[in-house]
Amino acid sequence: MSPLEIISRMCDVTNTLSDIVKKQQEIIEQSKIEEAVKADLRQQVKETDRELDVIEYHSRRFCDTDDIEATFGKE
């Protein structure tokens, strides 16, 4: 996976999370939350969280998080 592909996938996942939050906000505002809706949202959050984990795993080879300050501080 290339760095640009990782960034693109991270953007997609971030947008998905944003959509989930907006959907949750609408439902909460209506104050009647059905179990099926809650289950659907839980599944969406679970899938998106897994995708973020996969992206993070693949991005580790491009950037050592312990060394990130030293790397970006020199630019």
Side-chain angles (χ1 to χ4, degrees):
M1 204 182 310
S2 74
L4 289 177
E5 184 179 13
I6 290 170
I7 291 168
S8 178
R9 288 182 67 191
M10 287 181 74
C11 289
D12 290 342
V13 170
T14 301
N15 287 331
T16 300
L17 284 171
S18 177
D19 291 342
I20 292 168
V21 170
K22 288 175 187 174
K23 188 186 279 188
Q24 287 175 329
Q25 182 180 5
E26 290 173 13
I27 292 167
I28 289 169
E29 287 173 3
Q30 294 170 359
S31 75
K32 292 185 178 179
I33 303 173
E34 298 176 20
E35 279 303 313
V37 173
K38 288 193 278 187
D40 180 49
L41 291 172
R42 278 189 216 108
Q43 184 61 33
Q44 288 182 47
V45 170
K46 182 179 177 180
E47 290 171 3
T48 304
D49 191 41
R50 184 180 180 326
E51 181 71 11
L52 279 172
D53 289 343
V54 169
I55 291 168
E56 179 185 355
Y57 173 79
H58 287 291
S59 67
R60 288 177 185 257
R61 66 185 166 142
F62 297 107
C63 180
D64 180 0
T65 55
D66 293 333
D67 211 18
I68 196 164
E69 190 173 313
T71 301
F72 288 106
K74 293 179 182 179
E75 294 183 346

